[in-house]
Amino acid sequence: MKRYLTGIKPTGRAHIGNYFGAIKPAIEFSKQQDAENFYFIADYHALTTLQNKEDMIEYTYEIACTWLACGLDPNKVVFYRQSDVPEVFELNWILNNVTPKGLMNRAHAYKAIVERNAEAGVTVDEGVNMGLYNYPILMASDIMLLDADCVPIGLDQKQHLEIARDICHNFNLKYGNILKEPQYYIEDNTCTLLGLDGRKMSKSYNNTIPLFCDEKTLQKTINRIVTDSSLPTDPKPLDCVINKLYKLFASESEQKVMDEKLSTGIGWGDAKKELYRVMNEYIAPMRTKYDYYMSHRDEVDKILEDGAVKARKIATKTLQRVRKAIGVN
């Protein structure tokens, strides 16, 4: 069976853009037959920007509980915390020593900061820590330690996977065919949602709709969606933000009714009430599970610890091969 690996960085509470753009497709992907699926909380990856103890603890639980609430089944996949698999950090150091600096210089995240600093007239490496610079090597270690055949990714992660393949090739060129060179799979129809202001939904724009906020907050957030000044009796565009979001949560029959109301005239306030209704009905069962897991963190710890035990069985075998190959076994 092919082995698939997905890393999840704990950098804050999920919003509905994260759900439809990444979480839901990944969970559906995990249900495919004849495949082994591994999912891990990439807490050490988050250290490049998240350097507050309390936030790290809370975000890790929030992300783990979110995936469990959304349907990730720990009985059918391996779900673990990166920091519970220490072998990844030994492999990370080993791979650091076969990775050319020039390869890291070309990484998009690093180049973007260098270019921004140059434009600002400050030192090119201002604000760059070695974690950010070496980020692709740690990512390569996560993948190759588990002998992953394939990594499902978004288009923005393509370069990181290509770098991982280069690192793997460099190692195997020196020591023989020891590490598995990973492939990657890019979802063609990745869903990009519009936010409250009509731009792409993003935390950086402060225009997101939280996935698991309480009902009152959800309603208030939906009421903030920017609309025009048309009268309730005026026809509304079917491609408005409200209708695009509505179609994600409503049944086909409900979608047809909403299209008709928008075409013939409906007040924006009434349209937002309808959006809240279908969105809340869709989210409520998942929210209940999320709240349960957040208040039963010992169960979450047990799930992640059990997953780490399974992951380490593979990791130790990989590291044994690597240590023997480099002559430190």
Side-chain angles (χ1 to χ4, degrees):
M1 291 192 294
K2 275 194 172 184
R3 183 174 294 154
Y4 294 87
L5 179 71
T6 297
I8 308 148
K9 197 156 68 168
T11 54
R13 297 193 78 176
H15 55 74
I16 64 169
N18 300 140
Y19 174 71
F20 285 103
I23 299 171
K24 186 174 184 287
I27 291 175
E28 289 301 316
F29 191 86
S30 74
K31 297 175 183 177
Q32 65 175 322
Q33 302 298 314
D34 300 322
E36 291 181 301
N37 291 283
F38 290 69
Y39 294 80
F40 70 95
I41 307 295
D43 46 358
Y44 269 86
H45 280 291
L47 273 175
T48 59
T49 55
L50 181 60
Q51 297 178 357
N52 176 282
K53 173 185 174 181
E54 288 72 24
D55 286 345
M56 176 66 83
I57 294 170
E58 198 64 19
Y59 289 166
T60 298
Y61 278 116
E62 286 180 359
I63 290 300
C65 294
T66 294
W67 281 73
L68 292 170
C70 290
L72 191 69
D73 187 347
N75 295 312
K76 296 182 179 178
V77 305
V78 177
F79 189 36
Y80 63 98
R81 212 170 3 223
Q82 180 188 37
S83 54
D84 289 335
V85 183
E87 291 81 6
V88 71
F89 308 108
E90 183 174 350
L91 182 58
N92 177 56
W93 174 249
I94 294 168
L95 295 183
N96 263 276
N97 288 280
V98 297
T99 302
K101 179 177 179 291
L103 187 60
M104 294 298 94
N105 290 342
R106 296 196 293 274
H108 291 325
Y110 174 66
K111 284 179 64 177
I113 294 178
V114 168
E115 290 169 3
R116 186 166 64 245
N117 286 341
E119 290 175 2
V122 298
T123 305
V124 293
D125 286 325
E126 180 76 23
V128 177
N129 59 51
M130 289 306 297
L132 184 143
Y133 186 73
N134 288 332
Y135 187 101
I137 305 177
L138 181 57
M139 185 173 176
S141 303
D142 292 319
I143 298 165
M144 283 176 269
L145 190 71
L146 272 293
D147 278 340
D149 295 290
C150 187
V151 183
I153 57 169
L155 188 60
D156 60 333
Q157 290 289 311
K158 181 180 177 182
Q159 191 204 40
H160 280 158
L161 264 294
E162 291 173 341
I163 288 175
R165 286 167 56 82
D166 287 340
I167 292 171
C168 181
H169 179 75
N170 289 340
F171 183 89
N172 288 342
L173 200 62
K174 289 180 180 292
Y175 296 108
N177 190 26
I178 305 298
L179 295 174
K180 182 179 289 186
E181 192 168 311
Q183 305 295 318
Y184 55 84
Y185 166 76
I186 298 176
E187 181 66 56
D188 291 331
N189 57 344
T190 301
C191 180
T192 300
L193 271 65
L194 297 180
L196 304 177
D197 56 3
R199 293 182 293 176
K200 175 185 175 182
M201 189 173 290
S202 171
K203 292 172 188 173
S204 61
Y205 294 149
N206 193 30
N207 67 352
T208 64
I209 301 176
L211 182 58
F212 291 135
C213 59
D214 60 76
E215 293 183 351
K216 188 174 181 179
T217 301
L218 178 62
Q219 191 161 31
K220 285 184 176 180
T221 305
I222 290 172
N223 287 338
R224 288 173 48 211
I225 295 175
V226 176
T227 55
D228 60 31
S229 57
S230 58
L231 297 173
T233 54
D234 293 337
K236 309 296 188 295
L238 296 183
D239 64 347
C240 63
V241 173
I242 291 175
N243 200 32
K244 285 186 175 181
L245 293 174
Y246 187 86
K247 290 184 182 300
L248 294 171
F249 299 96
S251 66
E252 287 188 20
S253 60
E254 288 172 323
Q255 291 176 36
K256 290 178 181 178
V257 171
M258 177 58 81
D259 283 349
E260 179 65 23
K261 287 181 178 180
L262 288 167
S263 298
T264 57
I266 182 176
W268 286 123
D270 289 334
K272 289 177 180 180
K273 288 178 182 177
E274 276 297 297
L275 174 59
Y276 166 75
R277 180 185 63 80
V278 296
M279 188 180 291
N280 191 54
E281 287 177 358
Y282 185 104
I283 292 173
M286 296 191 297
R287 185 194 296 125
T288 299
K289 290 182 181 179
Y290 175 81
D291 291 342
Y292 172 83
Y293 281 119
M294 284 295 287
S295 61
H296 293 77
R297 299 188 180 195
D298 55 331
E299 292 186 27
V300 179
D301 287 334
K302 183 65 166 57
I303 289 170
L304 295 174
E305 288 165 7
D306 288 347
V309 169
K310 296 174 184 176
R312 291 193 70 187
K313 287 181 180 178
I314 301 167
T316 53
K317 291 180 180 178
T318 303
L319 198 53
Q320 284 173 359
R321 295 199 313 266
V322 171
R323 286 169 63 88
K324 184 176 181 180
I326 66 175
V328 298
N329 202 27

